[in-house]
Amino acid sequence: MRSHLLNDTTADVYRRSVTEGVERVAGKLASTRGPFTGVTPAALAPVIDAVDLDRPLGDSSAALDELEDVYLRDAVYFHHPRYLGHLNCPVVIPAVLGEAVLSAVNSSLDTWDQSAGGTLIERKLIDWTAGRIGLGPLADGVFTSGGTQSNLQALLLAREEAGATDLSKLRIFSSECSHFSVQKSAQLLGLGRDAVVAVPVDADKRMQSVVLAAELEACRAEGLVPMAIVATAGTTDFGSIDPLPEIAALAAEYGAWMHVDAAYGCGLLASRTRRHLLDGIERADSVTVDYHKSFFQPVSSSAVLVRDGATLRHATYHADYLNPLRTLAEQIPNQVDKSLQTTRRFDALKLWMTLRVMGADGIGELFDEVCDLAAEGFALLTADPRYEVVVEPRLSTLVYRYVPEGAASPEEVDRANLHARKALFASGEAVVAGTKVDGRQYLKFTLLNPETSAADIAAVLDLIAGHAEQYLGENLVHAAS
Ligand SMILES: Cc1ncc(COP(=O)(O)O)c(C=O)c1O
């Protein structure tokens, strides 16, 4: 069994196995006809059930053959130009190379004695990101598992900085379009049920700062504590960016922590043409960035940044077996003092390789391309009488729905759109997402693949219309008879 351990004696096995795995995936990339096969859970479950985990196959080739059946054939492929579903991106090759290196070396980014240069590389990338944001000389941060964890950590710091003893008095203000991890964090942080105040958005799905001001005033008048304002820079559905300068001014006026959730919008940090859309972000107390959304990095790659690195102490504990106080006095760098995690992947290496090979401009160009593509998609949708579209995209999502020509009740229109989404997924020809707007069913394209063309968007719109029409045809005829 030792022949399976990666070490100096098994370098050849490692080389062969990984190369074989890479070959299989490379072959897959070249041969996938759609983003998905349309397999159902009912069809796939027995295939996976049939695998006897107590009977190992013994060699990687056999396991890779089996993997074809249990995973690779039916995976959802984000690199495919017609994957237009959630906030998943195709990945850049330098980052995948970084991934291969980091899992083989297997550094853990908690302490220096488990990571050495890894700690310094992560720190340099944090400084680089904080510099791009403009957080100032005291800024710091740490890589996290994703936007959810980054938001949680930011709000933990905000809670501690608020210094209140009665947690039920703390309030977080975020727009009604903010990510659900804000609510989840409030719950995990022991704040009351009413802790998150949902501020309405304007027609462009941006937080209404006038209403925010009124809510903050009401909060103060009721003797409550405005703990934090969460501004979203790139909402999940609409890519809308809250008015950051106005929110920063209100946060300062009411003594609230300003957190910017730029999980999606962070790609703008690398853009040469759209960086100004984030103006005001430099005034944040903390920022969430998800490189695994708009920096084309493999999952996970994410970070939370703070204006004042000293606030990260709220996540610090010293353990004799890991990070004793002595190491602080000896100035041995570690990242565990700043993190909610202990053992932690060296995800930063992927971004490092990306910047060293392509540079930030390379990433920014890719993100600009998908934002341009969304503008083209918007033009297609507005010109198409079969569809209505909710807002002009700021980033790279489009929320729209099929509207039939003849009379159909709002419920039927909802069902037709939902059906179209499901039928499309089952066909495997394309993957789109769905959401609700004012209680009605809508569909969503999240465009993060620069390989997707306007022709792909047009073709998918035809497919959706076909499924919706067929559904309405069958059901309206059925209802009439
Ligand atoms: C605006 C926003 N914030 C946070 C998150 C959560 O990020 P993650 O899925 O990496 O935890 C998302 C995910 O889509 C998001 O869109």
Side-chain angles (χ1 to χ4, degrees), residues 87 146-148 151 179 181 232 234 236 261 263 290 292-293:
L87 271 164
T148 303
N151 286 347
H179 192 256
S181 53
T232 312
T236 316
D261 178 356
D290 261 5
H292 63 213
K293 289 186 173 48

Side-chain angles (χ1 to χ4, degrees), residues 26 137 158 174 205 234 279 289 410 420 478:
S174 69
K205 307 293 178 189
D279 283 354
V289 294
H478 195 67

Side-chain angles (χ1 to χ4, degrees), residues 193-455:
R193 273 184 174 279
D194 305 323
V196 181
V197 178
V199 182
V201 291
D202 62 16
D204 290 326
K205 307 293 178 189
R206 306 167 79 220
M207 188 194 283
Q208 292 189 38
S209 49
V210 175
V211 183
L212 172 66
E215 291 284 6
L216 285 163
E217 196 50 43
C219 174
R220 187 188 264 173
E222 286 171 43
L224 302 170
V225 181
M227 173 188 122
I229 307 172
V230 177
T232 312
T235 56
T236 316
D237 275 346
F238 304 102
S240 47
I241 299 170
D242 289 336
L244 302 177
E246 282 102 310
I247 291 172
L250 286 168
E253 187 181 340
Y254 287 86
W257 179 280
M258 178 182 176
H259 176 63
V260 177
D261 178 356
Y264 174 22
C266 64
L268 298 174
L269 294 172
S271 165
R272 272 184 298 194
T273 57
R274 289 180 168 84
R275 170 63 181 82
H276 62 279
L277 294 176
L278 290 179
D279 283 354
I281 194 173
E282 69 285 352
R283 294 164 73 181
D285 292 297
S286 56
V287 179
T288 288
V289 294
D290 261 5
Y291 309 105
H292 63 213
K293 289 186 173 48
S294 47
F295 271 68
F296 305 92
Q297 299 293 294
V299 177
S300 291
S301 183
S302 183
V304 62
L305 290 306
V306 293
R307 153 176 308 288
D308 177 4
T311 58
L312 291 169
R313 73 184 180 285
H314 298 306
T316 308
Y317 288 86
H318 289 284
D320 291 338
Y321 46 76
L322 190 69
N323 56 340
L325 267 173
R326 166 186 65 76
T327 54
L328 205 62
E330 291 172 6
Q331 296 192 328
I332 301 172
N334 79 42
Q335 293 294 84
V336 73
D337 289 355
K338 308 171 188 174
S339 175
L340 300 185
Q341 293 168 260
T342 307
T343 304
R344 197 162 50 83
R345 286 166 55 82
F346 183 20
D347 286 317
L349 184 63
K350 297 178 281 195
L351 181 59
W352 178 271
M353 293 298 284
T354 303
L355 294 182
R356 297 312 298 137
V357 176
M358 302 169 57
D361 287 350
I363 291 296
E365 277 164 26
L366 293 178
F367 194 54
D368 276 337
E369 278 189 52
V370 293
C371 294
D372 291 341
L373 176 67
E376 286 185 69
F378 180 70
L380 282 177
L381 278 161
T382 43
D384 191 333
R386 298 170 301 177
Y387 287 98
E388 71 178 36
V389 54
V390 181
V391 284
E392 192 173 345
R394 205 36 74 227
L395 299 181
S396 66
T397 61
L398 290 163
V399 179
Y400 60 92
R401 68 179 189 156
Y402 171 82
V403 279
E405 238 176 51
S409 71
E411 290 74 23
E412 280 159 345
V413 178
D414 283 349
R415 283 195 286 270
N417 278 280
L418 188 57
H419 169 83
R421 180 185 174 198
K422 289 182 178 174
L424 191 64
F425 189 64
S427 76
E429 288 187 271
V431 179
V432 304
T435 191
K436 291 215 167 152
V437 180
D438 299 330
R440 302 259 70 104
Q441 180 67 51
Y442 278 75
L443 302 174
K444 178 168 74 162
F445 290 151
T446 307
L447 303 168
L448 279 177
N449 189 347
E451 291 292 308
T452 303
S453 64

